[in-house]
């Protein structure tokens, strides 16, 4: 029996994709390949794509992604689709941050309708710089977290944000 199932691509490597399917409260993961037409650059399957998978119960090895649903956004590098948030992480010091890169990533996120979340790490190394950077992005209206892995500062707030979003 041939059936169609809806799922989300959660992994891809060498033309083999893992699709997460949730039905009746149960989650299954299927390994499959993309249909020939979906291997072209303009239609290429991306991690995060919502897809339709064709499953043939008689030949379980022939599970195929048959179509990609409309994407709400897509990034070229890394190749990802349908993002809600982009976590941009940089150190306050050692190494010094390249703010131009952070700003470029926030602009790319904004352009694609993705919420950029700023995470400034290593506040234990240079708390003054961490606070300055944090204040810049906070004033710009972005969710911003200042953290220290050593002291565990800001980790609980960040975890709470992730759980609530």
């Amino acid at each position: 029996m041939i059936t169609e199932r809806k799922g989300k691509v959660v992994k891809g490597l060498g033309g083999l994709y893992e699709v997460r399917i949730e039905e009746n409260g149960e989650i299954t993961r299927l390994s499959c390949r993309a249909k020939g037409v979906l291997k072209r650059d303009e239609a290429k399957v991306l991690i995060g794509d919502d897809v339709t998978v064709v499953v043939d119960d008689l030949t379980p090895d022939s599970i195929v992604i048959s179509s990609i649903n409309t994407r709400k956004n897509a990034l070229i590098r890394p190749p990802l689709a349908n993002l809600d948030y982009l976590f941009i992480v940089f150190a306050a010091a050692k190494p010094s941050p390249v703010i131009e890169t952070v700003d470029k990533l926030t602009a790319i996120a904004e352009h694609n309708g993705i919420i950029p979340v700023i995470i400034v790490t290593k506040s234990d190394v240079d708390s003054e710089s961490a606070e300055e950077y944090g204040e810049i992005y906070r004033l710009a209206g972005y969710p911003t977290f200042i953290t220290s892995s050593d002291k565990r500062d800001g980790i609980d707030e960040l975890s709470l944000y992730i759980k609530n979003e």
Side-chain angles (χ1 to χ4, degrees), residues 43-165:
K44 194 170 183 174
V45 177
L46 301 177
I47 307 304
D49 273 334
D50 294 312
V51 296
T52 301
V53 176
V54 174
V55 180
D56 185 347
D57 293 338
L58 299 176
T59 53
D61 291 340
S62 67
I63 302 170
V64 176
I65 296 173
S66 62
S67 66
I68 301 170
N69 294 349
T70 304
R71 295 175 177 144
K72 67 179 176 182
N73 55 46
L75 298 179
I76 296 168
R77 216 170 82 202
L80 300 169
N82 300 318
L83 297 171
D84 293 321
Y85 299 92
L86 180 64
F87 288 81
I88 302 169
V89 183
F90 65 94
K94 293 187 181 178
S96 296
V98 180
I99 295 303
E100 293 82 8
T101 302
V102 177
D103 291 346
K104 182 178 178 181
L105 289 170
T106 58
I108 289 168
E110 288 276 351
H111 177 75
N112 286 287
I114 303 166
I115 299 169
V117 178
I118 307 298
I119 303 169
V120 184
T121 64
K122 296 190 180 180
S123 64
D124 55 310
V125 175
D126 189 345
S127 61
E128 191 175 307
S129 290
E131 288 298 329
E132 285 177 18
Y133 292 128
E135 190 62 18
I136 290 168
Y137 292 101
R138 228 180 259 116
L139 287 173
Y142 300 119
T144 303
F145 299 90
I146 298 170
T147 65
S148 166
S149 297
D150 259 4
K151 296 182 179 180
R152 302 244 348 127
D153 293 339
I155 304 298
D156 291 338
E157 293 86 359
L158 178 57
S159 295
L160 187 61
Y161 179 82
I162 291 169
K163 287 178 189 172
N164 291 329
E165 295 301 317

